[in-house]
Amino acid sequence: SMPDEVPLDEQCERLPYDASKWEFARERLKLGKSLGRGAFGKVVQASAFGIKKSPTCRTVAVKMLKEGATASEYKALMTELKILTHIGHHLNVVNLLGACTKQGGPLMVIVEYCKYGNLSNYLKSKRDLFFLNKDAALHMEPKKEKMEPGLEQGKKPRLDSVTSSESFASSGFQEDKSLSDVEEEEDSDGFYKEPITMEDLISYSFQVARGMEFLSSRKCIHRDLAARNILLSENNVVKICDFGLARDIYKNPDYVRKGDTRLPLKWMAPESIFDKIYSTKSDVWSYGVLLWEIFSLGGSPYPGVQMDEDFCSRLREGMRMRAPEYSTPEIYQIMLDCWHRDPKERPRFAELVEKLGDLL
Ligand code: AMP
């Protein structure tokens, strides 16, 4: 076993990959449409025949490199694969199903497919279909005209809509399909017309806390926890993704402070911004921002605020976001707890699981 202080990605780099357990024959994979692509990788949908001893064909997501990828990008994806094998299975993470690593073809990491895409886009699509409870959903007209929540300090918030390029800027990824494309094609179960309720929002928050409790117990620091990295699967199950590739953004000097867009500043704890310190406690800070995203139905954090040095120093001086439109006082207090200036004072994921479980 390895010492706890060594980050998981550095530990895993040196670990072997158990091909007998994970290797999947490329011929049994039929690649389909693209789900997302970015600076150093792409995700495509695929059909896998006989994966995980299944006698049938299963829809999966395949992570691979783009054409012309460098050796260090190859190594990063291989490290992500090793991290995934090391971490193990949990309902609330995007689980590894297999991999194609043999020479003579591209490196492919096969993970669970999440039908409804990322939580940020999904919540935005529900802005006219939010209700306090299922009963209200049956008897009331959808609520219209939402205001973006503002800031505790500072000027009047701007009502700016979030563009997909902006929301994916930090992960370097963008989606190929808008949700409306998906709606037309794949809404056979009517899921996109279903309203969502307060219970759903608390359930998503609870599930992410559970997934993070698991990842942190496995010594995994996510470093890019945000609604764009939470995927929605069937039965309202949410799963944390990108807990392997994300950290390479920080190891690769190209992604550090090269214009603020590469850094997920709005999600970062002050100690990460100023001292490049990442820990489970900085993940807890990001989780607070993720809660804000959930309870604003996919709003862009710090609406109308320029991401610059002034923002960073105001954050250090104690500036925090105001409560988002759909949060309750209890939920907002959880956010403020996650945004405690002192990392040690922020709650542990186990405590967040308990609190949200009670609210649920
Ligand atoms: P990522 O490379 O993980 O940042 O993915 C970029 C986008 O592709 C995500 O925001 C999702 O919308 C989509 N995507 C990634 N992984 C999956 C998956 N396992 N299932 C469904 N969609 C995915």
Side-chain angles (χ1 to χ4, degrees):
S1 72
M2 301 208 204
D4 281 357
E5 312 80 62
V6 181
L8 184 65
D9 52 327
E10 284 165 34
Q11 292 181 31
C12 283
E13 228 168 72
R14 287 186 255 112
L15 287 176
Y17 156 72
D18 184 357
S20 69
K21 193 170 173 199
W22 296 105
E23 192 69 16
F24 188 73
R26 282 197 184 86
E27 311 82 73
R28 295 217 243 142
L29 210 51
K30 188 166 161 259
L31 298 184
K33 67 175 182 191
S34 172
L35 296 169
R37 61 171 161 226
F40 50 88
K42 60 180 176 184
V43 183
V44 300
Q45 198 184 55
S47 299
F49 296 90
I51 200 160
K52 286 255 161 181
K53 300 188 180 79
S54 154
T56 56
C57 163
R58 176 173 177 178
T59 302
V60 297
V62 175
K63 274 200 162 187
M64 48 209 263
L65 300 167
K66 295 202 301 185
E67 302 73 36
T70 64
S72 84
E73 285 160 350
Y74 177 90
K75 206 176 135 206
L77 187 57
M78 197 64 206
T79 301
E80 181 177 24
L81 170 59
K82 289 176 181 177
I83 289 175
L84 294 177
T85 64
H86 169 85
I87 279 173
H89 190 277
H90 190 274
L91 177 67
N92 302 118
V93 306
V94 175
N95 291 290
L96 180 69
L97 298 173
C100 311
T101 68
K102 288 220 172 83
Q103 303 219 314
L107 173 59
M108 298 195 273
V109 177
I110 309 163
V111 298
E112 292 172 324
Y113 173 66
C114 301
K115 195 175 172 185
Y116 302 104
N118 76 68
L119 192 59
S120 179
N121 281 352
Y122 179 76
L123 291 172
K124 271 177 232 164
S125 79
K126 290 294 179 188
R127 286 185 171 183
D128 290 335
L129 285 164
F130 176 78
F131 299 93
L132 285 176
N133 56 60
K134 289 276 184 219
D135 196 45
L138 291 171
H139 300 292
M140 280 166 60
E141 281 295 301
K143 198 175 172 189
K144 292 261 156 62
E145 279 312 302
K146 307 284 187 301
M147 289 280 288
E148 282 283 356
L151 291 168
E152 201 79 275
Q153 296 170 17
K155 297 167 210 82
K156 207 173 182 299
R158 196 158 41 96
L159 278 171
D160 48 359
S161 62
V162 188
T163 64
S164 59
S165 63
E166 185 189 323
S167 57
F168 289 109
S170 70
S171 64
F173 275 94
Q174 61 186 46
E175 276 196 309
D176 288 347
K177 272 185 179 296
S178 71
L179 212 56
S180 54
D181 294 331
V182 183
E183 263 174 81
E184 281 163 29
E185 275 173 32
E186 292 176 3
D187 198 23
S188 52
D189 53 3
F191 191 73
Y192 286 106
K193 290 170 197 84
E194 272 278 297
I196 56 164
T197 63
M198 195 62 176
E199 188 183 325
D200 294 324
L201 301 188
I202 299 169
S203 169
Y204 300 150
S205 309
F206 172 73
Q207 292 180 63
V208 176
R210 283 259 271 229
M212 285 308 299
E213 180 187 25
F214 169 73
L215 288 177
S216 60
S217 78
R218 308 293 288 137
K219 303 278 178 277
C220 177
I221 304 167
H222 192 296
R223 302 180 210 211
D224 198 8
L225 189 57
R228 64 180 168 273
N229 284 328
I230 305 299
L231 301 181
L232 182 58
S233 194
E234 267 150 318
N235 302 317
N236 257 332
V237 171
V238 295
K239 289 169 177 283
I240 301 165
C241 80
D242 264 356
F243 44 93
L245 210 59
R247 60 207 26 66
D248 215 62
I249 291 172
Y250 302 94
K251 276 178 114 189
N252 185 336
D254 288 351
Y255 291 97
V256 178
R257 307 216 168 184
K258 203 178 171 193
D260 289 338
T261 49
R262 290 287 169 204
L263 280 176
L265 271 186
K266 290 175 173 183
W267 286 264
M268 284 166 70
E271 72 273 14
S272 309
I273 296 174
F274 289 99
D275 307 309
K276 301 192 179 75
I277 295 172
Y278 292 89
S279 65
T280 292
K281 292 301 187 183
S282 59
D283 277 348
V284 169
W285 176 291
S286 307
Y287 177 82
V289 181
L290 168 59
L291 282 184
W292 190 95
E293 292 183 275
I294 291 175
F295 288 90
S296 63
L297 299 182
S300 181
Y302 305 96
V305 174
Q306 194 81 34
M307 287 300 112
D308 53 17
E309 271 175 53
D310 185 51
F311 164 80
C312 298
S313 48
R314 275 157 67 198
L315 200 63
R316 184 157 60 180
E317 285 154 20
M319 173 200 65
R320 298 295 183 261
M321 278 188 279
R322 277 214 295 258
E325 180 164 3
Y326 303 100
S327 75
T328 62
E330 293 101 318
I331 300 276
Y332 183 52
Q333 188 55 52
I334 298 175
M335 289 180 213
L336 292 175
D337 294 344
C338 292
W339 299 332
H340 202 289
R341 157 200 312 267
D342 181 357
K344 291 193 295 295
E345 294 293 319
R346 295 172 203 155
R348 289 177 298 116
F349 281 113
E351 293 169 57
L352 292 166
V353 167
E354 202 183 298
K355 270 200 188 139
L356 287 155
D358 289 346
L359 288 177
L360 205 50

